[in-house]
Amino acid sequence: MALWRSGVNERAWRPDSKERPWARHRLDVGEGDYPRLLSYLRRAFKGTPQPVPGQADVRIWYLEDGFQTNVVAKRLLYSSNETDRSVVALFGTPSRRLDQSSQLTDAIRLAYCQPAVGGFFNFLLADESNLHGWQSGVFFSDWTPKPSYQAFKNVIGEVNSQRVNCTKLKARMRRSHARLA
C-alpha cells in the first residue's frame, strides 16, 4: 500500500465572496472549519499508517480559494452579465473595508496561522473575460493589476518572512464572531 505523503487538497468552500475567510459552516468545510477538517482526517486515517496533515511532511493545501470582484472600472473588457450577486468591491471604504484586498490577505494570513496548512492557491491570477466565469484574479482580464495586487504581494512577503501576527488575527476573528452573535 502506497502512503499519500504530500498533502490534502481542500477547496476552501464559501457561499459567496463576502463571507469572511474564518466563517464556520454546519455542513460544508471551508477555511474557517480547519479544526473540523483535521478531526475528519484523523478519524478517516485512524489505525492506518497514513499520516494526517501536520504529521511528517503532510500538509493541507487550500485550492481554488478566491474572492470575486466587481469589474465596473474596466467593464468594457468583459462580456455577458455578472451572475454572482455577492461580489466584493475593488476598493474598501474606511468604515467598511470588505474588499478583495482585505478578504484575500485575511485568508492567506489565516492559512499561515493554521499549522497543518502548507499552501494557499488563489483561484485565477487574471480574471476570465466572460462574466459568467470567475473574476477572482488580482489582475483584470487585460492583465493590468487590480487594487488587490499590491496587498497580495505584501501578504506573500509577510508569509515568506514569517511576519504574520497570528495573535492579532485571532483577536480580529473573535471580534468578528462576537459581532455576528
Side-chain angles (χ1 to χ4, degrees), residues 7 58 108 139 144-145 150:
V58 178
I108 292 170
F139 292 94
T144 58
Q150 192 59 49

Side-chain angles (χ1 to χ4, degrees), residues 3-181:
L3 297 180
W4 181 39
R5 294 241 182 232
S6 61
V8 173
N9 300 320
E10 168 65 10
R11 183 194 175 279
W13 184 90
R14 75 179 45 80
D16 63 62
S17 292
K18 291 180 180 174
E19 181 181 271
R20 300 302 286 152
W22 48 74
R24 294 185 190 125
H25 307 93
R26 211 175 124 245
L27 299 174
D28 297 300
V29 178
E31 197 176 352
D33 302 302
Y34 171 79
R36 189 162 45 102
L37 175 60
L38 284 178
S39 172
Y40 290 163
L41 293 168
R42 286 183 187 118
R43 247 184 302 167
F45 293 115
K46 186 176 182 176
T48 74
Q50 173 62 49
V52 296
Q55 297 175 347
D57 57 351
V58 178
R59 298 286 175 258
I60 295 168
W61 290 20
Y62 290 127
L63 305 178
E64 293 188 19
D65 207 327
F67 303 90
Q68 289 206 87
T69 65
N70 69 48
V71 294
V72 175
K74 295 213 172 206
R75 178 63 177 96
L76 294 176
L77 298 173
Y78 296 84
S79 63
S80 301
N81 293 309
E82 182 57 69
T83 57
D84 185 346
R85 300 293 169 227
S86 64
V87 296
V88 292
L90 284 172
F91 301 95
T93 61
S95 62
R96 180 143 169 84
R97 185 149 157 51
L98 187 61
D99 59 9
Q100 188 183 35
S101 295
S102 63
Q103 289 286 76
L104 190 54
T105 56
D106 283 345
I108 292 170
R109 287 178 182 134
L110 179 58
Y112 175 86
C113 295
Q114 297 172 335
V117 173
F120 180 99
F121 293 79
N122 189 61
F123 185 64
L124 300 178
L125 191 54
D127 289 351
E128 293 181 77
S129 61
N130 186 325
L131 291 174
H132 289 170
W134 279 80
Q135 290 73 49
S136 57
V138 293
F139 292 94
F140 290 103
S141 63
D142 67 351
W143 288 90
T144 58
K146 287 184 180 178
S148 59
Y149 174 71
Q150 192 59 49
F152 186 61
K153 275 181 58 175
N154 292 345
V155 76
I156 290 170
E158 276 181 48
V159 167
N160 287 339
S161 63
Q162 300 178 345
R163 291 183 290 115
V164 175
N165 186 333
C166 296
T167 303
K168 183 177 175 182
L169 179 66
K170 287 176 186 171
R172 285 186 50 232
M173 290 167 52
R174 280 192 298 278
R175 286 192 303 273
S176 176
H177 286 305
R179 280 194 301 268
L180 296 175

